[in-house]
Amino acid sequence: MSSSPQKLEHSRVVLEELTSKWTLLVLNELCNEPMRFNALRRALPDVTQKALTQCLRRLEASGFISRTVVSLSPVAVIYEISPLGRSLEPHLQAILKWADEHREEIQAAKYRYSSD
């Protein structure tokens, strides 16, 4: 299956969007259920507030998630997976499963590489 350089470049841009540092983990959480910002922070304790905010904004701008303001005082926002994001779910689960299954193999390869 060969693709033109132009088609590959368009795909690279989309894949780059999906492989930003926290994107897959945020999408995975939102595939389970709609969540408020602080619930996402608790579910992903290693992500900073700034990084999570940036990730959510990118995902919303790209149409993978939607953001709904549910109250103004205090401000409450719910994030949920969009139909576009939901269409990614089986692929997301496959990538996360593959990563889990091959994590040790990749770590061993990195160790061997750094030992040479």
Side-chain angles (χ1 to χ4, degrees):
M1 183 176 102
S2 179
S3 293
S4 71
Q6 185 178 22
K7 200 171 195 177
L8 288 171
E9 175 60 16
H10 293 310
S11 295
R12 183 198 61 78
V13 170
V14 172
L15 291 171
E16 195 172 86
E17 180 72 34
L18 292 172
T19 57
S20 295
K21 185 171 185 177
W22 299 106
T23 300
L24 296 177
L25 299 177
V26 169
L27 286 173
N28 185 57
E29 290 299 324
L30 293 177
C31 279
N32 294 326
E33 63 181 328
M35 299 177 86
R36 291 177 61 171
F37 184 88
N38 285 330
L40 274 167
R41 288 259 342 253
R42 285 190 297 277
L44 304 168
D46 293 334
V47 65
T48 65
Q49 180 173 340
K50 180 181 177 184
L52 181 57
T53 298
Q54 291 171 339
C55 182
L56 290 167
R57 286 180 180 161
R58 276 193 316 273
L59 289 170
E60 182 183 9
S62 297
F64 292 111
I65 66 170
S66 63
R67 176 182 180 271
T68 305
V69 177
V70 290
S71 73
L72 295 175
S73 182
V75 175
V77 176
I78 299 272
Y79 295 93
E80 68 183 301
I81 202 82
S82 69
L84 178 64
R86 184 68 66 193
S87 72
L88 184 60
E89 186 175 14
H91 310 288
L92 170 66
Q93 296 307 321
I95 289 168
L96 293 173
K97 180 180 180 207
W98 184 91
D100 189 53
E101 290 171 351
H102 296 280
R103 181 183 63 247
E104 290 178 11
E105 187 179 342
I106 294 167
Q107 288 173 336
K110 286 181 173 184
Y111 177 77
R112 286 190 306 275
Y113 180 83
S114 67
S115 297
D116 291 340

